[in-house]
Amino acid sequence: MIRARRARIVATLGPASRAPGMVKALAQAGADVFRLNFSHGTHEDHAAALKAVRGAEMALQRPLGVLADLQGPKLRLGKFRDGAIDVKPGHVLRLDLDPTPGDATRVQMPHPEIFSALRPGMALLIDDGRVRLRVGQGGADWAEVTVESGTRLSDRKGVAVPDCVIPVSALTPKDREDLAFALRLGVDWVALSFVQKAEDMAELKRLVAGKAACLAKIEKPQALDDLESILDYCDGVMVARGDLGVELPPEDVPVAQKQILRAARNRGVPAIVATQMLESMTSAPAPTRAEASDVANAVYEGADALMLSAETASGDYPLETVGIMSRIIERVEKDPLWPSLMDAEHAGMDEHDVDALVAAARKAAEAQATACLVVFTTLGGTARRMSRERPLQPILALTPNPDTARRLALVWGLESRLGKQPESLEMVTDDAVAGAVQYGLAQPGQRILILAGTPFGAPGAANLLRLAHAPAPRKRGR
């Protein structure tokens, strides 16, 4: 089960895909990490899905990651007396806290935190931007708005406020319950929605307390403004283009995607590109040409992983979707232009010995005889640093920690596997060579580069770069 590609695939599980047989088939087709979307489904559904992933992992003998995606706060309008109203540009409406069903003159917006942040001239986007409102006068519990575009407002449609930070926690009471449940299940990653500032991620990290890796979903313009500070608290990041595309002009979304990917790679933080990657395959057996190009462009940009949402959760062709995405990634990585793009940008070295070691390993691996790199890692830090350099050779990450192996399933180019904690330099060499040969990453006589650290088992202590060669098979005597 060694992948023929470096970029990873995240598949969302749902009614169409959470059965054990389908989960195993999705992993065989190319899924590396499975997403549990806590915006949908019950705790029982998610528990069954995680059990199916662990079963597939055991059957395939390949670590598989599980990502719990928290819903985050949902800002919505109230209800209308007749379920909806027709509007047109120039229509004036009052938003307030009164729960009485609305009409053509007013409707409830049950979020005092929004009213406290609104100022005249700000925009409100309703129903994924289908209706655009401009704020006029207002107070602590009301605002007068004018319709700028759109034709219809209906019950419980979502509200987005792109022009300011909303003073609301990214973790709702539901999220806290879901988080506690996900951590009891033993998920490997937790994704936080509605991140606006670094404090949101700091709160998540405090609650998770090292039981899982923490990932920020960048879907608010305010998060872009505070991106570097947010990354200080991130183990991973997601370019959540759905909501980001609501609050940003369409022409800004590709630029934001590149900005996030560049910043994440510079930090050695794995980055996922998500939303509408192969959306048409929710109901069609093949993607559009534009979707294939979108997937390919994310690979050319060096994304660690690409995510499928409704395509695998509720679509008609979950298995075909993963297979096609995997083939697109493989094809891009065979493009003669692709290696130069991966080599075009390298992060500056921090003041750590391991960065100098990793940079030296990348340069040494450029020799054509080098078959693969083998990294011994306890918590995954050295393996992620090696991935950040984007070497063209496979990277085998050996760890004694199952949690580390599963978390590394999200990271570009890493083939994470369980291995014993080495106790000597001889064991380091022997285990690295044996692993490279066992998984088909090195042929007899080929060079293997080994990264490890002494004292053995001490996290963050990578300080050793060794060369070894896969042994030739012994000739039998007559």
Side-chain angles (χ1 to χ4, degrees):
M1 286 293 295
I2 293 291
R3 302 297 191 208
R5 52 177 165 77
R6 282 78 162 184
R8 298 312 184 199
I9 295 175
V10 181
T12 302
L13 295 181
S17 55
R18 68 168 71 101
M22 178 59 78
V23 171
K24 179 182 176 182
L26 289 171
Q28 288 174 310
D32 302 288
V33 176
F34 291 92
R35 171 178 173 249
L36 309 180
N37 184 2
F38 278 81
S39 294
H40 305 284
T42 65
H43 282 184
E44 291 74 19
D45 291 334
H46 297 313
L50 186 139
K51 183 178 179 180
V53 174
R54 297 300 184 232
E57 179 182 71
M58 184 174 296
L60 301 177
Q61 293 296 294
R62 176 186 179 85
L64 298 171
V66 176
L67 166 67
D69 193 339
L70 303 178
Q71 176 176 288
K74 294 298 181 182
L75 308 177
R76 300 185 183 277
L77 295 180
K79 293 185 176 182
F80 291 90
R81 185 173 56 218
D82 298 321
I85 62 170
D86 293 324
V87 297
K88 61 182 180 180
H91 187 118
V92 177
L93 193 67
R94 178 187 172 97
L95 307 177
D96 56 39
L97 297 176
D98 183 355
T100 303
D103 54 29
T105 64
R106 61 152 299 277
V107 70
Q108 181 194 26
M109 186 168 67
H111 303 289
E113 60 274 12
I114 295 183
F115 290 114
S116 69
L118 291 182
R119 299 292 181 269
M122 286 184 176
L124 288 177
L125 304 177
I126 313 298
D127 192 13
D128 288 340
R130 292 179 177 87
V131 179
R132 185 181 185 90
L133 309 176
R134 185 67 61 182
V135 177
Q137 298 302 310
D141 58 359
W142 67 280
E144 182 182 88
V145 297
T146 302
V147 176
E148 286 194 336
S149 62
T151 60
R152 191 170 179 81
L153 288 173
S154 56
D155 290 349
R156 304 289 297 159
K157 291 302 182 183
V159 178
V161 190
D163 296 335
C164 66
V165 174
I166 304 299
V168 59
S169 172
L171 284 160
T172 66
K174 174 186 176 347
D175 293 327
R176 293 173 186 273
E177 292 178 8
D178 290 342
L179 174 61
F181 175 76
L183 294 177
R184 289 197 300 273
L185 277 183
V187 301
D188 308 299
W189 287 85
V190 176
L192 183 62
S193 302
F194 206 78
V195 173
Q196 298 186 94
K197 54 190 184 300
E199 289 77 6
D200 295 330
M201 287 303 297
E203 183 179 13
L204 178 68
K205 293 281 278 190
R206 179 179 60 80
L207 293 173
V208 170
K211 297 174 185 175
C214 295
L215 183 146
K217 294 172 66 176
I218 306 300
E219 52 194 343
K220 299 285 293 179
Q222 294 75 25
L224 290 172
D225 297 334
D226 201 26
L227 182 59
E228 291 297 334
S229 296
I230 289 170
L231 288 174
D232 289 340
Y233 296 94
C234 286
D235 302 303
V237 67
M238 182 189 296
V239 187
R241 303 182 304 178
D243 287 305
L244 194 61
V246 171
E247 301 201 23
L248 283 179
E251 64 271 20
D252 287 348
V253 176
V255 177
Q257 176 172 313
K258 288 177 171 57
Q259 175 188 347
I260 297 165
L261 292 177
R262 188 177 299 115
R265 181 174 171 187
N266 187 58
R267 296 289 195 96
V269 171
I272 304 171
V273 175
T275 316
Q276 298 176 331
M277 299 299 292
L278 296 174
E279 181 76 9
S280 68
M281 290 194 71
T282 303
S283 58
T288 67
R289 278 67 171 171
E291 288 169 338
S293 293
D294 184 37
V295 170
N297 284 334
V299 179
Y300 280 119
E301 290 171 357
D304 287 80
L306 313 182
M307 193 175 92
L308 297 165
S309 300
E311 300 98 324
T312 54
S314 57
D316 295 333
Y317 303 95
L319 196 58
E320 293 84 351
T321 303
V322 171
I324 287 175
M325 176 171 274
S326 185
R327 295 204 304 272
I328 294 171
I329 296 171
E330 289 180 26
R331 178 62 185 86
V332 170
E333 294 181 358
K334 292 176 182 176
D335 180 0
L337 176 65
W338 177 76
S340 62
L341 293 175
M342 294 302 97
D343 192 52
E345 185 176 340
H346 293 285
M349 289 192 297
D350 297 330
E351 295 298 323
H352 301 290
D353 291 345
V354 66
D355 291 300
L357 187 77
V358 165
R362 177 182 64 82
K363 292 297 293 182
E366 291 176 358
Q368 292 183 355
T370 300
C372 68
L373 299 105
V374 180
V375 180
F376 288 86
T377 186
T378 303
L379 299 180
T382 302
R384 289 192 299 272
R385 279 180 161 94
M386 194 68 253
S387 169
R388 179 176 69 172
E389 292 297 313
R390 298 297 193 259
L392 299 182
Q393 294 77 12
I395 308 168
L396 177 61
L398 295 176
T399 177
N401 188 339
D403 293 336
T404 297
R406 290 166 176 159
R407 293 175 191 178
L408 292 178
L410 183 66
V411 183
W412 188 99
L414 294 184
E415 289 290 343
S416 59
R417 296 292 188 274
L418 289 177
K420 294 180 181 179
Q421 182 65 60
E423 299 175 355
S424 66
L425 290 178
E426 182 179 10
M427 187 175 177
V428 164
T429 303
D430 290 346
D431 287 358
V433 170
V437 172
Q438 175 185 348
Y439 296 115
L441 300 177
Q443 299 300 318
Q446 288 186 311
R447 178 186 298 142
I448 299 167
L449 287 176
I450 306 167
L451 286 84
T454 55
F456 299 112
N463 54 17
L464 174 68
L465 176 60
R466 303 201 84 186
L467 292 175
H469 290 83
R474 294 180 179 178
K475 295 182 180 180
R476 292 183 177 181
R478 293 183 178 179

